[in-house]
Amino acid sequence: MSDLRLMKGNEALAEAAIRAGCRGYFGYPITPQSEILEYLALEGRSRGMIVLQAESEVASINMVYGGAGVGARVMTSSSSPGISLMQEGISYIAGAELPCLIVNVSRGGPGLGTIQPSQGDYFQAVKGGGHGDYRLLVLAPSSVQEMADFVFDAFDLADKYRSPVMILADGALGQMMERVSFREYDPAAHLVAKPWATTGKPVTRERNIITSLHIEPEKMEQINNRLQEKYRQMALHETRCEEFQTADAEYLIVAYGLAARIAQGAVEMARAQGIRAGLLRPVTLFPYPTDAIRALADRVRGVLVVEMNAGQMIEDVRLALEGRVPVRFYGRTGGIIPSPDEVLGALTKMVNEDVLHIEEVS
Amino acid sequence: MEHQTMQPDSPVLECVYSRPGTLTETRFHYCPGCGHGVVHRVLMEAVEELGIQGETIGVAPVGCSVFAYNYLDIDMQEAAHGRASAVATAVKRLLPDRYVFSYQGDGDLAAIGTAETIHTVNRGENILMLFINNAIYGMTGGQMAPTTLIGMKTTTSPLGRTVEASGFPLKITEMVATLPGAYYVSRNSVHTPGAVRHLKKAILKSFQYQKEKRGTCFIEVVSNCPSGWKMTPLEANRWMAEHMFPLYPPGEIKVPK
C-alpha cells in the first residue's frame, strides 16, 4: 500500500485527525502525548486546522466546548493529570450534547504519578469522571494502526450521537512506532448537518443556545432521560469487542488496549503448553461488551482479567458474569508493562487452582 | 379624583423608546436597580444599530447573568464558571468573520477565570470581553468577590474585608490593559444617562475594532448589587459612585494610538 508509513502512535493519531476533517485542536503539553500537539502545530496548521496551545487543560476543554458548539469537528488530547483537570468541561460538553474527540494517552498515577504507560484511568473514562449522570463513548486502541483508525470512528460516532467520544490509549501506544496506513476518508461525505450550532442567527430561524443549564427539574430530568436513551442506543449499536481463540477456550483472558496485545501472546504460549486459553478484548469500554462476555460464561472454567492497573475493568467483567465463573486478576501498576510470561504465569496459576479444586471436589 | 376624557384632537403619541428587536420578549429576572438589564439593553442596541444580529455570537457566564441567553436574541453559548473567554476564543477562531463577545461578572472573570482572562487578552483574541464588576457574588447570595472593597461587608467577610484575611481588591482591568493583546480597554458604569451613552459608544467602537481585527476589546462596567449590598437601588448607585469609583475610576484606560 502506497500510504503505508512508520509512525509513532501519537503522530498517527494526529495525522488521522487532519484527515478526518478536524478543524480545531486545543491542547496543552503533557508527556507522553505532546507529539500530538507538536505534529498538529506544523502539519495541522499548514493544512488549515486551527491549532491552539492553551494556557491549561481547563482552557483547552472549554475551547473544545466553544468549537464544538459552532458545529466544527474539534478535539483535545492530554494525559491522565490533564484529563483530570478537564473533567468539569467534559461534564458540560456531555450535558450540552456537543460532539468532540477527547484523547487520553494515559500514564500512571495517582497524582503526578509517572510518565510511564498505565490503564489507571479506566474508572475515570468509563464511569463518568466528572459530575452528573453522563457517559463518554470510549474507544480503546491496541496498536498504532488503531490509534489512527479510531480517530475517524470517534468523529463519526460523536456526530452520530451528538456526544463526546474518548480514545483511551496509554503512553506505550502513544510512543511506540509501528506501520500504519490511513483509510480512504472524505470528511465531506461524513459530515452531518448541525442545525443546533451557534453560527450566527439568520432571520429564518430561532436563536440557538448551547447550554447544560436547566433549572426546571422536569426539563432537567427530560435531558437526563434523553442522555440515558442515547447511551442505550450506543450499547445496542456501537458495542465492539474482539475474540481470539475463544471458540474452544476453557480459560478466558479479558484485557483491553496494550494489555490485550500482551495477553494475546500469553494465550499463544498457553496453547503451546496445551492450555485451551482464549482472549476477549473489549474495543469499546463504554458501551461495554457485557453480552459477549456473558455468552462465554457457560463455556469457560475461569476468567483472568489483565490490566495495567490495580483492577478496574475487572468490576465490569464480574458484573457481566454475575458470579457464574471464578474471576482472577493480574495487573501491574506504576507504569510497569506486564510481560506475556507474567500473564502466562497468572493464567497457569488459575488453571492449577481450578484443577486442584476439581480434585478436591471429586 | 377627577376623570378627564381625551380630547378628540389630541396629538398621536410618538414612540420614542422601545425594546430593541435584538432583545427577546422575556422579562429580565434581575433585581430592581441591577445594572445587568441596562448593560444587556445597551449591548443589544449596539448590535441592532450595526445590523449584526445574525453575525453575533455571545458567551454567557455563571453568575447573575447566567441566563443572559434568555434575553439576547442571538446565538449564544453558556460557559462553565470562569471559562467564557476560552469558549469565545474557540468560537472566534473557527468563525473569524463573526462578532463574538463574552459577558462575565467579577467572580467569573477575575477569580476563577483569571487565567483564561489574562491569556485570552494576551493572545489578542478578536473578541469583546464585557466585565460587570459589582464587587460581590450576587447569585450565590452576596459573598466576597476578588473586587470587594477593603472594609466592605459580605456574607463571607461579615466584619468587612481585610487585607490580612483576603488580600487587596483586584484591579484586573488595569492588569489586562498592560497586555499588548489588549487594543481597547474602557471602564464604564450605567448609573446615569451620560454613563449609559458612554458605554454604548464603547461597545460600538469595540465591534468596529473587532471587524478590523485589532485585538481584544475589554470593557468593564462598574455596577451595583442592591440585593447583595442590602441597599435601595438609589442608595446602591450613590454608594457605588462614592466608594467604588475611587478604586475603579470610570474612563478610557487604553485607547488606540
Side-chain angles (χ1 to χ4, degrees), chain A residues 238-258:
Chain A
E238 314 303 342
T239 308
R240 284 169 67 181
C241 68
E242 276 184 0
E243 294 186 33
F244 176 68
Q245 304 219 341
T246 53
D248 65 339
E250 277 191 305
Y251 300 97
L252 179 71
I253 297 180
V254 182
Y256 72 94
L258 188 66

Side-chain angles (χ1 to χ4, degrees), chain B residues 113-176:
Chain B
T114 307
E116 285 79 5
T117 300
I118 297 290
H119 285 279
T120 300
V121 179
N122 195 49
R123 288 190 300 266
E125 300 293 344
N126 275 303
I127 62 169
L128 164 61
M129 294 175 69
L130 269 163
F131 166 39
I132 316 300
N133 176 12
N134 61 2
I136 205 160
Y137 286 79
M139 192 177 68
T140 44
Q143 292 81 17
M144 184 184 68
T147 49
T148 294
L149 305 180
I150 297 302
M152 191 173 162
K153 287 181 182 173
T154 71
T155 60
T156 51
S157 58
L159 303 178
R161 178 178 181 159
T162 64
V163 172
E164 292 71 24
S166 310
F168 299 91
L170 186 63
K171 299 181 73 166
I172 197 158
T173 305
E174 277 79 0
M175 278 173 68
V176 300

Side-chain angles (χ1 to χ4, degrees), chain B residues 13-51:
Chain B
L13 291 179
E14 191 190 346
C15 180
V16 293
Y17 188 82
S18 63
R19 179 186 289 268
T22 44
L23 282 174
T24 66
E25 295 293 328
T26 311
R27 287 186 185 179
F28 292 138
H29 71 275
Y30 300 115
C31 303
C34 172
H36 274 308
V38 183
V39 180
H40 283 15
R41 183 196 164 90
V42 170
L43 173 64
M44 296 319 284
E45 278 179 3
V47 168
E48 185 171 59
E49 280 174 31
L50 294 168

Side-chain angles (χ1 to χ4, degrees), chain A residues 118-123 251-256 259-260 263 288 302-318 321 325-334 336 338-339 342-351 353:
Chain A
S118 162
Q119 295 182 327
D121 298 351
Y122 180 89
F123 283 153
Y251 300 97
L252 179 71
I253 297 180
V254 182
Y256 72 94
Y288 196 71
V303 173
L304 177 69
V305 178
V306 179
E307 300 180 72
M308 285 152 55
N309 59 37
Q312 298 191 17
M313 183 183 70
I314 187 172
E315 295 189 359
D316 287 329
V317 175
R318 285 196 167 124
L321 293 171
V325 186
V327 180
R328 296 287 178 270
F329 177 74
Y330 186 75
R332 297 298 300 268
T333 60
I336 294 169
S339 70
E342 288 173 62
V343 176
L344 178 64
L347 184 67
T348 310
K349 187 163 172 265
M350 181 175 73
V351 172
E353 274 174 13

